[in-house]
Amino acid sequence: MTDVTTEDTWTIEPVCLGEFPILERSAFTYMRGYGEKFSAPAIGFVLRSRWGTVLLDTGPGDPAGNDGLHSTWTRTPEQELVTALRSVGVEADELEWVILSHLHYDHCSDLDLFPRATFVVQAEELRSAVDPVRPQRGMYEFGFEGRIPPWMTVTSQLRTVRGDTTLFPGLDLILLPGHTPGLHGVLVQTTGGPHLIAVDLVSVLDNWGAGGPDDWIAPGIHVDLAACERSFERIRETGARVIATHDWRTFDHARYPAE
């Protein structure tokens, strides 16, 4: 991470890219919430500063392409990626930077809508996507006849990074393995202090602690529970405000830092 000035601060705008209407809560909170059903949004984040506009994650795409491989999701016309971005003043075909937090389908679909973009992903995540642990094959859409994982259509536009990386002043990629081997969150410097989008390590605010930041709950879907613990410790060390990525409460504010 680099030192930044007030000129290098960013804003964060969440955009809804679909909804999973019926999910098992224990898939989000390890060993808690068995049998409890809830709905969850798929959220992308528009990040802006004097350095430009960056998108974090692109959502699950068209529900018609599910074919029963994933949990059911819905998408209204307003939640379609191009329309949702346009509602906050962003044209997908002009965007130059897209961060892919990890390569599960619900975070990296519709990449062909960004012909000018460079897609930034961890090298370790790319390796995991082509050699996934068996329970996550479906999430990566790898190894199924007639199905091509969405990122494979834009390989010439991929930029791999290895570990923590400063993408722009005030915008740092922080490696947070556990949910997947190569997941990275985004540490965003704002006029209201640092904010961390921890992606599916903190899908819901409950992951970050029912009783405080030392009482975190690992995601129910993970490849390494000990790595999740270490990643939570990293989050705590940043001192940042944590933003969840599958939690309706994220939309309590249209923009961060909140006024």
Side-chain angles (χ1 to χ4, degrees):
M1 291 179 285
T2 58
D3 294 332
V4 297
T5 68
T6 54
E7 294 181 348
D8 295 321
T9 55
W10 295 71
T11 60
I12 304 165
E13 293 169 80
V15 290
C16 188
L17 302 176
E19 176 184 354
F20 294 90
I22 304 176
L23 291 174
E24 170 77 18
R25 184 168 291 277
S26 63
F28 289 75
T29 51
Y30 181 56
M31 298 186 69
R32 308 202 190 180
Y34 292 117
E36 182 182 344
K37 306 299 182 183
F38 78 123
S39 72
I43 305 177
F45 295 87
V46 174
L47 315 173
R48 296 189 231 233
S49 80
R50 70 186 182 100
W51 296 99
T53 301
V54 178
L55 175 65
L56 170 62
D57 289 345
T58 61
D62 187 348
N66 187 357
D67 294 335
L69 186 60
H70 307 302
S71 299
T72 299
W73 76 92
T74 62
R75 188 177 69 171
T76 67
E78 293 77 19
Q79 293 167 349
E80 292 180 9
L81 186 52
V82 170
T83 304
L85 290 178
R86 190 169 289 155
S87 72
V88 293
V90 176
E91 295 295 332
D93 60 1
E94 297 178 1
L95 201 58
E96 296 185 352
W97 292 95
V98 177
I99 300 169
L100 301 177
S101 64
H102 61 304
L103 296 177
H104 283 175
Y105 77 98
D106 58 323
H107 292 262
C108 69
S109 293
D110 286 336
L111 301 188
D112 57 322
L113 297 176
F114 304 92
R116 297 179 57 186
T118 295
F119 299 101
V120 184
V121 65
Q122 289 285 334
E124 182 59 34
E125 185 66 12
L126 199 56
R127 285 188 286 269
S128 300
V130 297
D131 187 22
V133 295
R134 183 170 294 274
Q136 292 205 8
R137 284 180 60 215
M139 301 291 287
Y140 284 116
E141 298 191 340
F142 184 84
F144 296 91
E145 184 176 356
R147 184 179 289 269
I148 299 174
W151 61 269
M152 282 192 174
T153 65
V154 294
T155 53
S156 64
Q157 295 169 254
L158 291 179
R159 172 183 167 183
T160 56
V161 295
R162 291 167 176 81
D164 296 354
T165 302
T166 297
L167 190 60
F168 293 102
L171 196 68
D172 292 280
L173 309 180
I174 307 296
L175 185 61
L176 297 172
H179 174 67
T180 71
L183 180 144
H184 55 199
V186 182
L187 183 63
V188 185
Q189 301 299 329
T190 80
T191 57
H195 288 55
L196 180 62
I197 308 168
V199 202
D200 282 8
L201 188 68
V202 182
S203 292
V204 292
L205 288 176
D206 307 84
N207 293 122
W208 185 225
D214 292 325
D215 187 28
W216 47 66
I217 304 169
I221 299 172
H222 57 261
V223 296
D224 189 329
L225 190 57
C228 288
E229 291 283 291
R230 292 191 292 271
S231 292
F232 281 124
E233 290 170 357
R234 288 214 65 199
I235 294 174
R236 180 179 59 187
E237 290 168 0
T238 68
R241 174 175 178 171
V242 177
I243 299 175
T245 53
H246 286 292
D247 195 317
W248 290 110
R249 289 170 287 186
T250 296
F251 294 107
D252 287 348
H253 304 290
R255 178 178 297 178
Y256 296 81
E259 297 296 334

